Every structure is written in C-alpha cells, then in structure tokens.
Amino acid sequence: MPVHTSSTFAPAAVLCGVAGWVPPRVVTNDELAARLDTDDTWIRTRTGIRRRHIAGPGQATSDLAVEAGQLALRNAGFDAVGTDPVDAVIVTTTTPDRPCPATAPAVAARLGLRQAAAFDVGAVCTGFVYGLATAAGLIASGVAARVLLIGADTYSSIVDPLDRANAIIFGDGAGAVVLRAGDSDEPGAVGHFDLGSDGTHEDLIMVAAGGSRRRSEGGQLARAERHFAMRGNEVYRHAVTRMAASARATLSGAGRKIDDVDHFVPHQANLRILHSVADDLGLPRERCVANVDAVGNTGAASIPLALADAAARRVIRPGDRLLLTAFGGGLTWGSCLLTWPELPPPTRPYDPIVPYDTGVDAPS
Ligand code: COA
C-alpha cells in the first residue's frame, strides 16, 4: 500500500551529510572468470558490472557501517568522538553481524554515540528508502532531532562463491546520510514517499535457512539452503515494473512530472534494469545515476553509495531534484524525492573506472 508523507509534514527530515565506503579489495570480472564458468563479456553485457569490492577476512557489516557513518558525520560537520551529534542510529542491512543483537547498537557505540537509540531496518535492497522513511518519521514525531542512517551490506557473507549466477552481481559496501529536523521546503528535505511490498513472492530472493522457519540444528543444512538464492529472470521483470510504478506514484503524489527530475538515483541492481526503468519513465538515460559498474549490487548500501559518489564527482549539485527508487527481496519497493542541499563534497568512496563507460548491451 502506498504511504505518502505530505509536504506539510513538519518538522521534515533534511539531509545534511553523506558518505560512502567500500572495502579496499577489488574483485574484477576476470578474477571471477578464473574460478567460475563465466567471462568478462557475459557479465558486462548482462549486468553492466566490471568489478566489485569484497570485504576482507573477518570484516563484518558493522565494520563497513562504522567507516561510512564516521565519514557522513564528518561531512555533516559533526565530530562523533566524545559527543552525541545524533539521537538515533539506523542500520539497514540484510547481512547483520549476527542474528542477535541488531548491528546498529554496536555501530553507535563504536562511533562514540553513547545515548543514541539504535536499531536495524530490514527490507533487503529497498532498505535505504525504508530507512529514510523511518528516520523521517522519528524526526516528524519529535522523537529525534538528528538521525544517522547507514545502509551496509556484506553480501559476500551469504552468496556462495561457487554460484556464478549471484557471485558476479553482488559487492560489499556501506553508505550513510545524516538527517536533521528542518522545513519541508528547504533543500535536503526528504519528501513524498511511496513504499510497498508483495510477500507472495518471498521465494524469488531468499536465504532459506538459518532463521526460525528452517533452523540450523546440528549444522546439517544443505549448502544451497545456507546461501543467497535468486530467480534472476523473474526478479528482473518485477524490478523493472515495480520500480517504474513506484517512481510514478511518488511523482504523482508530489504533483511532479518526470521532466522535473534532474537525476534518477535507483538501487544499483543491474544496469539493464536501470536503463529499462529510465526508458519506461521517459527519462533520458544520462539522467540516471549509475555506479553499478564499479561496485556491483551492494544491497542497502547502493543508493547512499551512488549518492556519495555522484556528489563527490559533482554530478549531483546543490538544487538538483532527485528521485530515489529501490527494489528488493520481500518483495519490497520504495521511492522518494529529495532536492540536493549545499554540502561539502564528500570524499570519493572508490577509485574511478577509466574510461567511465560500462559497455552494456541495450536492454532486450
Ligand atoms: N556466466 C555465464 N553464463 C551464465 C552466468 C554467468 N555468470 N550466469 C548464468 N549463466 C547462464 C545460465 O546458466 C543460462 O544458461 P542456459 O541458457 O544454458 O540455461 C544463461 O546464462 C541465461 O541465464 P538467464 O538467467 O536467463 O540470464 P539472464 O539474461 O536473465 O541474466 C541475470 C541473468 C541474473 C544477470 C539477470 O536475470 C538479472 O540481472 N536479474 C536481476 C538480478 C538483480 O538485479 N537482482 C537484484 C534485485 S535487488
């Protein structure tokens, strides 16, 4: 069911800091092709992905989240050490450090935030947009005046490294934003959400075991049950239709047209999906922010990582109107509008690919 926050909702959540962080280890398509039955051309033409960053041994989701969170607080002008610049920390992830407790309290503690509320939000690759709506609700209700929202995922911890269909798609990373209470008409205000889900398709994207439904008693689980599974073809079709519909619902709820959007910032699932959604919306592809070539699909991190990279490259500038749209397991989807605020440009989260050309095939 669509959920709309009206533009008169006050106080509004206003973005005032952004950052992205990826682990240093780069895995190229050729490196994957050396151990899997695949090749660079197949991966590039089907997905647009050229490389991804993968966490090192012992590197957990909270480690990535702390890096991105610290940089975002710094970008917002807050020094986390010894102070409590935010009232709440939300970590959105599909790959928490462990099933219990949530990852956010440990992240908050390591950032020196001793008093902040801290909890996780799970909506798979839609997590960041759901997290934004949650943060906006905390701010609108007066529960928090400032919120640190971190999308962080370590898909390498759940994807079978021998599964060529999924190992090529996913990467590890984190992205974060700081939100403060402000006015709905000021730059940075996050507004007009569309959120939705369809749990009848929960089997399209799933880790089957390890939770309460299929318990890991005695360590007897089959390899496939322990790992991430996805029915790629069906997911592809749902992703295109649901993302386009969500983007349209958000624009119409806000009384906007696609021509009002300077940059479409979609969840970085697959470049063909992003281009198909842009085409469906009648949006020129060059207005679609894409960094999936450099980082792969980083789950809940993908939109803030794309924002941080585009802001660092000055592709997104103050005053630009953005439409954020995500889609993920659940199924879940969501969109919202945001006018980019004046911010110090964040540090580039990773080295660029030169030349900046994905070489992806036109969508079929
Ligand atoms: N390298 C080479 N061949 C591969 C391969 C790989 N890494 N992965 C699969 N293949 C093979 C398949 O086995 C199949 O072979 P077959 O025809 O002999 O059976 C063939 O390629 C086509 O497979 P198919 O699954 O139909 O490919 P596709 O064109 O749908 O592309 C995906 C596969 C996963 C790239 C595509 O479905 C996709 O992007 N889906 C959405 C995934 C996504 O974005 N998920 C995140 C949503 S949040």
Side-chain angles (χ1 to χ4, degrees), residues 5-336:
T5 56
S6 94
S7 55
T8 54
F9 218 153
V14 176
L15 190 147
C16 61
V18 66
W21 194 85
V22 290
R25 167 135 163 66
V26 173
V27 175
T28 62
N29 292 347
D30 285 339
E31 184 175 340
L32 288 179
R35 61 178 165 84
L36 295 171
D37 182 15
T38 188
D39 59 78
D40 174 57
T41 305
W42 194 97
I43 300 170
R44 257 189 309 109
T45 54
R46 298 291 174 118
T47 69
I49 298 167
R50 287 172 178 253
R51 68 180 199 204
R52 68 287 295 144
H53 290 249
I54 298 293
Q59 206 165 25
T61 294
S62 64
D63 301 323
L64 279 55
V66 166
E67 298 283 356
Q70 200 154 36
L71 290 170
L73 288 168
R74 215 173 281 158
N75 185 245
F78 302 130
D79 177 3
V81 180
T83 64
D84 254 12
V86 296
D87 309 305
V89 176
I90 303 172
V91 172
T92 174
T93 185
T94 303
T95 52
D97 283 13
R98 36 183 89 80
C100 175
T103 301
V107 170
R110 285 168 59 193
L111 289 171
L113 306 169
R114 302 286 164 196
Q115 306 295 325
F119 59 97
D120 291 2
V121 164
V124 196
C125 295
T126 316
F128 183 73
V129 176
Y130 270 61
L132 273 181
T134 307
L138 290 177
I139 287 172
S141 62
V143 170
R146 293 189 194 125
V147 178
L148 172 63
L149 168 64
I150 308 173
D153 264 315
T154 312
Y155 267 89
S156 61
S157 66
I158 56 171
V159 170
D160 183 346
L162 299 179
D163 172 5
R164 70 173 179 173
N166 289 312
I168 61 156
I169 292 175
F170 291 93
D172 300 334
V177 294
V178 182
L179 300 148
R180 62 164 174 81
D183 294 330
S184 58
D185 55 359
E186 68 176 298
V190 176
H192 269 95
F193 283 92
D194 169 74
L195 303 179
S197 76
D198 182 356
T200 64
H201 294 295
E202 65 173 358
D203 56 330
L204 294 187
I205 295 175
M206 183 179 272
V207 178
S212 57
R213 174 69 62 200
R214 181 87 177 89
R215 302 179 188 203
S216 54
E217 285 151 356
Q220 296 303 309
L221 294 172
R223 185 180 180 106
E225 291 179 302
R226 283 186 275 120
H227 287 104
F228 179 91
M230 175 167 67
R231 302 225 296 268
N233 256 308
E234 287 164 76
V235 169
Y236 191 108
R237 286 197 298 275
H238 279 286
V240 173
T241 53
R242 310 284 195 176
M243 287 173 82
S246 180
R248 280 201 179 88
T250 301
L251 288 170
S252 96
R256 297 276 184 192
K257 295 194 171 61
I258 195 68
D259 291 344
D260 297 329
V261 174
D262 296 307
H263 303 285
F264 177 50
V265 188
H267 163 55
Q268 305 288 309
N270 170 328
L271 196 62
R272 288 162 68 214
I273 292 177
L274 309 195
H275 284 169
S276 295
V277 176
D279 293 351
D280 190 308
L281 293 172
L283 181 97
R285 289 182 181 181
E286 56 274 16
R287 282 201 254 150
C288 175
V289 171
N291 70 339
V292 67
D293 60 329
V295 294
N297 179 341
T298 57
S302 92
I303 287 182
L305 203 44
L307 286 174
D309 178 58
R313 290 191 289 125
R314 318 286 209 277
V315 168
I316 295 177
R317 292 165 181 276
D320 286 353
R321 283 167 300 193
L322 313 186
L323 170 61
L324 317 182
T325 298
F327 171 84
L331 300 174
T332 53
W333 56 86
S335 299
C336 74

